[in-house]
Amino acid sequence: LGLNSGLSPEEIEASPFNLVVVVDVSGSMNDAGKLDFVRTGLVLMIDSLDANDKLTIVAYDTVATVRLGPTYVTDDAKGEILDIILDLKTGGSTNIYDGLYKGYEMASKGITDSEAMHRVLFLSDGLASAGNTNTDDILAMSAQYNELGIGITTLGVGTDFAFDLMYGLANQGNGNFYFLDDGDKMVDVFQHELEYLLTPVAEN
């Protein structure tokens, strides 16, 4: 399906973000500098957000923790946000269910804002190895939040992640799926994804 428009993307009034970034910080993220380029991508992503956008950061290994509660990306808040990103450290197993569930729960806190674009940006470099590891259960839980209007974009890092799960999450959640095998792509993806979400071509 091809669509054309006389509108320039710069003329489209963008909806504010209610964006939750869910980052895998399990031990394997220390391999090949994967967490380093994730940090770099997140730092650059901050420059693409503004004071109308709300950001939450959830990190997960064996358990999931909220590192940054819902925060508007004002100039005053950017210093705190950057400190949290740079302080991410690796360790533990990969509890995909807990990380994704916590991310969705945080996104759902802002679901009453009908003007905002509600999105989970979910990253993993491995297979589920802690908590509920059943793929069907993870997909079913995610689908419940998708029906509420919370979309998801998934990023598989390296070569050992759960491809079917990550693709399935994005496919049923009306989102994009990215496969990343090096750090340079991570930076490009964060920037491309925000531009993609902020440039609607058609509605209804």
Side-chain angles (χ1 to χ4, degrees):
L1 174 65
L3 297 172
N4 199 0
S5 171
L7 287 175
S8 168
E10 291 77 18
E11 296 173 354
I12 299 174
E13 184 176 351
S15 299
F17 273 126
N18 171 29
L19 179 65
V20 180
V21 179
V22 182
V23 183
D24 184 348
V25 292
S26 60
S28 57
M29 283 293 291
N30 195 46
D31 299 341
K34 285 182 280 191
L35 187 59
D36 290 333
F37 62 73
V38 169
R39 290 194 197 99
T40 300
L42 288 173
V43 168
L44 290 176
M45 183 188 73
I46 299 305
D47 292 334
S48 300
L49 301 174
D50 60 33
N52 294 317
D53 299 317
K54 193 183 297 182
L55 176 67
T56 303
I57 298 175
V58 173
Y60 70 98
D61 44 41
T62 307
V63 296
T65 57
V66 178
R67 302 296 177 87
L68 175 73
T71 302
Y72 285 103
V73 188
T74 62
D75 289 339
D76 290 340
K78 285 185 178 180
E80 176 192 357
I81 296 170
L82 292 175
D83 287 343
I84 289 170
I85 292 171
L86 296 176
D87 193 47
L88 292 172
K89 295 180 176 61
T90 60
S93 303
T94 307
N95 193 334
I96 286 178
Y97 190 102
D98 198 31
L100 188 57
Y101 173 77
K102 182 76 73 174
Y104 274 130
E105 280 293 287
M106 297 306 296
S108 67
K109 293 180 182 296
I111 200 68
T112 54
D113 184 355
S114 59
E115 298 298 319
M117 186 178 301
H118 307 284
R119 200 78 173 178
V120 170
L121 194 61
F122 184 75
L123 183 147
S124 177
D125 82 323
L127 304 174
S129 59
N132 186 342
T133 61
N134 185 281
T135 296
D136 289 340
D137 289 348
I138 296 171
L139 288 169
M141 178 268 290
S142 181
Q144 293 177 350
Y145 288 96
N146 299 152
E147 291 172 2
L148 296 177
I150 304 172
I152 182 170
T153 292
T154 59
L155 299 89
V157 182
T159 57
D160 298 323
F161 65 91
F163 176 89
D164 290 342
L165 173 61
M166 299 294 275
Y167 176 79
L169 288 168
N171 189 46
Q172 73 178 16
N174 297 319
N176 292 325
F177 160 72
Y178 297 93
F179 161 58
L180 307 169
D181 57 358
D182 63 56
D184 291 338
K185 289 183 181 177
M186 174 65 74
V187 174
D188 292 341
V189 160
F190 278 121
Q191 292 179 322
H192 173 269
E193 180 65 11
L194 291 181
E195 290 172 0
Y196 166 83
L197 291 173
L198 289 172
T199 313
V201 244
E203 294 181 358
N204 298 326

